[in-house]
């Protein structure tokens, strides 16, 4: 087994720590931001450029790769990293979140705002519902061709073993803040039962596929905004053992109200085993990354940095803005003069404005390189600040400037 997590430094007065995750495809120095390549590609950017900008690992999505090209193709190719020409560590998420998205209408962004109304029939009444959850698993309709499919914990493990990422996630029922508390309880009970089945299937597959590199399995903590549910989930999955196997790490997922992010992460991290890595699923706005690190998160993933880049939105030390705005037409400065990325060291805002206005393909490439570098580097700087003992000052300095100049600091 070649998976381990070593904590090198633990901050006094907070849960923040610095460590190293070791996988069969290399190490990840934590805390770290893991860029997302949903369909085995970070859209518009070469893997070499991702490595150059400091990405230590990439995360792909099991649901999308299962539908296309098919998990068996990735297995034949030698696994996800080999298939996509990424030599470093890889993650896949289980598909639970995407399948849930089908349930509430595909591509509809999950409302992560507790103030919005909360009714389970948001899903049930939706005539375009593409997924149905039962105690055994989820039946869903492909968003590609309308064909019917079924994910169970066992199938999710089989698919993720075929895809072959170094770190995989247990199949969970991801809820939204729309769901009622009784439904959250039901979903959590299912996630508990499914976690046990994932451990069993994972153990069987690991024993069967002896020539393949070891894959680490992370359990996923649900429980929405409820303290008792989150703590129960952390206690149950943190100590869960089946077939002589326990989880190698944990993902914190599901409905996370932005305002309560730190509180929720702190609830679960005071219960989960300290010596195992914690991944915060789908969170990547700069201010949220600080909250995560302070509360003991080791790795993050988020598709936002690349998704907003393709719409000309960039993160900078002056906050977030859109390069397609006419004010940049004659701006011959870098996107961010403090950024060391390929884009900022070779191109101007005026050029970026031009390629976005002209809908040139390179606009996505250059803006994605910048945004991914900005977020990867920010978390790298947090890691260094923890080692140097000045994390609090670094945070105050960054957020003071970022929020002061940003009209849109949050997402
Ligand atoms: Zn840059």
């Amino acid at each position: 087994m070649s998976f381990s997590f070593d904590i090198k430094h633990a901050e006094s007065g907070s849960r923040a720590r610095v460590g190293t995750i070791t996988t069969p495809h290399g190490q990840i120095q934590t805390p770290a931001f893991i860029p997302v390549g949903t369909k085995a590609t970070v859209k518009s950017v070469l893997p070499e450029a991702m490595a150059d900008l400091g990405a230590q690992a990439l995360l792909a999505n099991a649901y999308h790769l299962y539908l296309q090209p098919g998990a068996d193709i990735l297995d034949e190719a030698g696994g996800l990293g080999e298939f996509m020409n990424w030599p470093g560590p890889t993650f896949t998420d289980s598909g639970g979140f995407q399948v849930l998205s089908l349930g509430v209408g595909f591509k509809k962004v999950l409302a992560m705002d507790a103030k919005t109304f909360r009714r389970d029939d948001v899903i049930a009444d939706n005539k375009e519902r593409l997924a149905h959850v039962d105690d055994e698993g989820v039946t869903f309709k492909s968003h590609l061709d309308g064909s019917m499919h079924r994910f169970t914990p066992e199938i999710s493990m089989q698919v993720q073993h075929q895809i072959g990422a170094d770190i995989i996630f247990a199949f969970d029922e991801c809820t939204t803040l729309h769901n009622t508390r009784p439904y959250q309880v039901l979903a959590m009970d299912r996630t508990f039962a499914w976690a046990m089945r994932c451990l069993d299937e994972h153990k069987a597959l690991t024993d069967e596929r002896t020539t393949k590199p070891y894959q680490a399995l992370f359990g996923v903590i649900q429980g929405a905004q409820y303290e008792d549910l989150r703590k129960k989930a952390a206690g149950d999955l943190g100590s869960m053992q089946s077939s002589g196997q326990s989880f190698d790490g944990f993902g914190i997922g599901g409905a996370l109200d932005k305002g309560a992010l730190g509180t929720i992460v702190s609830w679960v991290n005071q219960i989960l085993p300290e010596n195992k890595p914690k991944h915060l699923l789908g969170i990547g706005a700069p201010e949220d990354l600080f909250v995560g690190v302070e509360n003991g998160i080791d790795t993050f993933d988020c598709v936002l940095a690349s998704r907003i880049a393709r719409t000309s939105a960039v993160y900078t030390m002056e906050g977030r803005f859109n390069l397609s705005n006419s004010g940049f037409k004659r701006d011959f400065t870098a996107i961010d003069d403090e950024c060391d990325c390929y884009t900022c060291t070779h191109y101007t805002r005026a050029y970026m404005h031009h390629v976005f206005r002209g809908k040139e393909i390179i606009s996505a490439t250059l803006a994605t390189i910048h945004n991914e570098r900005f977020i990867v580097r920010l978390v790298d700087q947090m890691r260094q600040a923890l080692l140097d003992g000045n994390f609090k000052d670094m945070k105050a300095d960054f957020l003071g400037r970022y929020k002061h100049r940003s009209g849109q600091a949050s997402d």
Side-chain angles (χ1 to χ4, degrees):
M1 171 165 152
S2 50
F3 180 85
S4 62
F5 179 54
D6 303 302
I7 299 170
K8 286 185 206 160
H9 166 80
E11 186 86 332
S12 59
S14 86
R15 287 212 152 70
R17 67 262 191 95
V18 175
T20 304
I21 295 173
T22 301
T23 77
H25 291 92
Q27 294 189 326
I28 303 166
Q29 307 304 328
T30 66
F33 178 75
I34 314 301
V36 176
T38 303
K39 300 177 187 176
T41 167
V42 178
K43 290 189 201 315
S44 80
V45 181
L46 291 174
E48 287 81 352
M50 293 307 298
D52 284 350
L53 67 81
Q56 301 185 67
L58 298 178
L59 180 143
N61 182 257
Y63 162 79
H64 286 279
L65 294 173
Y66 157 82
L67 288 178
Q68 193 179 64
D72 57 319
I73 305 283
L74 280 96
D75 201 13
E76 258 182 76
L80 174 62
E82 187 72 23
F83 187 52
M84 68 183 290
N85 186 33
W86 173 258
T90 49
F91 294 58
T92 44
D93 63 8
S94 70
F97 179 83
Q98 282 69 26
V99 168
L100 166 86
S101 305
L102 293 170
V104 295
F106 193 67
K107 285 187 176 164
K108 179 180 165 190
V109 175
L110 300 177
M112 293 303 180
D113 179 358
K115 291 181 209 74
T116 54
F117 68 109
R118 203 178 295 153
R119 281 175 29 209
D120 296 328
D121 59 8
V122 166
I123 296 172
D125 286 349
N126 188 336
K127 290 198 174 101
E128 291 172 21
R129 184 179 64 165
L130 298 175
H132 177 77
V133 186
D134 59 60
D135 286 344
E136 287 304 302
V138 184
T139 304
F140 60 94
K141 199 181 236 185
S142 163
H143 71 286
L144 295 177
D145 61 8
S147 56
M148 294 307 294
H149 300 267
R150 186 161 169 81
F151 264 20
T152 62
E154 290 76 18
I155 294 170
S156 174
M157 287 298 98
Q158 291 156 15
V159 164
Q160 292 191 80
H161 270 259
Q162 285 191 307
I163 294 172
D166 297 299
I167 295 173
I168 65 178
F169 287 91
F171 190 62
D172 60 313
E173 183 179 359
C174 176
T175 57
T176 74
L177 292 169
H178 288 308
N179 294 119
T180 56
R181 185 183 158 99
Y183 193 86
Q184 303 285 5
V185 172
L186 178 73
M188 218 180 68
D189 288 345
R190 268 190 197 131
T191 294
F192 176 83
W194 291 2
M196 193 77 91
R197 286 165 57 186
C198 283
L199 275 177
D200 291 340
E201 185 67 15
H202 174 63
K203 177 70 166 64
L205 290 165
T206 303
D207 290 348
E208 188 184 309
R209 294 163 58 92
T210 49
T211 58
K212 304 285 180 180
Y214 181 78
Q215 295 177 270
L217 176 61
F218 283 25
V220 179
I221 309 299
Q222 294 286 352
Q225 69 273 45
Y226 300 106
E227 181 173 3
D228 58 334
L229 300 187
R230 285 280 180 187
K231 285 185 168 171
K232 181 172 188 311
D236 288 347
L237 270 71
S239 60
M240 185 178 277
Q241 278 220 341
S242 196
S243 306
Q245 178 106 21
S246 55
F247 288 113
D248 297 298
F250 298 92
I252 297 161
L256 290 163
D257 184 23
K258 197 177 173 73
L261 181 65
T263 310
I264 291 170
V265 173
S266 144
W267 289 336
V268 303
N269 277 351
Q270 58 187 265
I271 292 170
L272 288 172
E274 204 177 320
N275 60 352
K276 294 198 173 174
K278 318 289 181 354
H279 180 91
L280 190 53
L281 286 151
I283 298 289
E287 60 277 20
D288 296 338
L289 296 169
F290 281 99
V291 171
V293 165
E294 283 172 332
N295 286 289
I297 296 297
D298 304 298
T299 50
F300 301 86
D301 78 272
C302 189
V303 77
L304 214 57
S306 56
R307 183 175 290 160
I308 66 167
R310 297 194 297 278
T311 70
S312 98
V314 285
Y315 296 119
T316 75
M317 282 310 296
E318 298 175 19
R320 183 180 144 174
F321 54 76
N322 285 298
L323 290 163
S324 56
N325 291 348
S326 53
F328 298 114
K329 195 171 181 180
R330 290 192 162 76
D331 187 340
F332 297 101
T333 62
I335 296 173
D336 184 338
D337 60 14
E338 293 178 40
C339 181
D340 59 1
C341 83
Y342 178 82
T343 305
C344 289
T345 52
H346 293 83
Y347 294 95
T348 62
R349 293 174 177 187
Y351 181 76
M352 293 302 296
H353 174 80
H354 158 67
V355 291
F356 270 112
R357 283 297 179 98
K359 298 189 166 55
E360 295 292 343
I361 291 169
I362 201 171
S363 60
T365 305
L366 293 175
T368 302
I369 286 173
H370 168 75
N371 274 358
E372 294 286 8
R373 174 61 186 155
F374 186 87
I375 301 293
V376 162
R377 186 182 185 209
L378 176 60
V379 180
D380 286 355
Q381 287 167 337
M382 291 184 206
R383 183 169 71 242
Q384 192 57 49
L386 287 169
L387 290 171
D388 295 344
N390 59 7
F391 180 81
K392 281 201 177 84
D393 292 344
M394 182 254 164
K395 177 189 170 191
D397 179 54
F398 177 89
L399 290 180
R401 297 174 60 203
Y402 186 78
K403 288 199 159 171
H404 176 67
R405 299 292 296 272
S406 178
Q408 203 179 1
S410 64
D411 293 286

